[in-house]
C-alpha cells in the first residue's frame, strides 16, 4: 500500500542512524513494528494484579511433563 507521509527529515535521519536500516521505508517499518510490540507489552503489564492465580499450581512440575 503506497502512502505519502510528511515526516521530519531530521527524525528520519536519526531513525536510519539508530536502526541500521539503509532505506527510509525499512526504518519506518521497523519503527512501526517496535511501536506495536511495545503497546502490546503495555497491555500485558496492565493485567498485573487483575488475574487470579491458583497458589497450588506447580509450574516446575509442568516443565518436566512430556
Amino acid at each position: 500500500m503506497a502512502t505519502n507521509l510528511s515526516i521530519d527529515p531530521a527524525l528520519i535521519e536519526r531513525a536510519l542512524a539508530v536502526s541500521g536500516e539503509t532505506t527510509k521505508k525499512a526504518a519506518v517499518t521497523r519503527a512501526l513494528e517496535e511501536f506495536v510490540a511495545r503497546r502490546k507489552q503495555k497491555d500485558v503489564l496492565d493485567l498485573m494484579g487483575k488475574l487470579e492465580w491458583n497458589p497450588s499450581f506447580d509450574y516446575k512440575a509442568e516443565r518436566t511433563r512430556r
Side-chain angles (χ1 to χ4, degrees), residues 30-47:
R30 177 178 279 191
L32 288 172
E33 289 170 346
E34 290 182 13
F35 174 81
V36 170
R38 284 178 184 250
R39 288 296 170 113
K40 284 184 177 181
Q41 288 173 355
K42 182 185 173 298
D43 291 345
V44 171
L45 287 175
D46 288 342
L47 293 175

Side-chain angles (χ1 to χ4, degrees), residues 10-31:
L11 184 58
I12 286 286
E13 290 303 318
R14 287 173 44 205
L16 285 165
V18 300
S19 70
E21 299 293 349
T22 56
T23 66
K24 293 176 185 176
K25 177 182 176 181
V28 170
T29 298
R30 177 178 279 191

Side-chain angles (χ1 to χ4, degrees), residues 1-3 6 8-10 15-18 21-23 30 41 47 50 53-54 56-58 66:
M1 164 179 56
T3 303
S6 177
D8 179 2
L16 285 165
V18 300
E21 299 293 349
T22 56
T23 66
R30 177 178 279 191
Q41 288 173 355
L47 293 175
K50 296 180 182 176
W53 298 101
N54 181 349
S56 65
F57 178 73
D58 186 1
R66 292 181 194 237

Side-chain angles (χ1 to χ4, degrees), residues 58-66:
D58 186 1
Y59 69 93
K60 289 183 180 180
E62 291 294 316
R63 290 180 183 169
T64 59
R65 205 174 103 196
R66 292 181 194 237

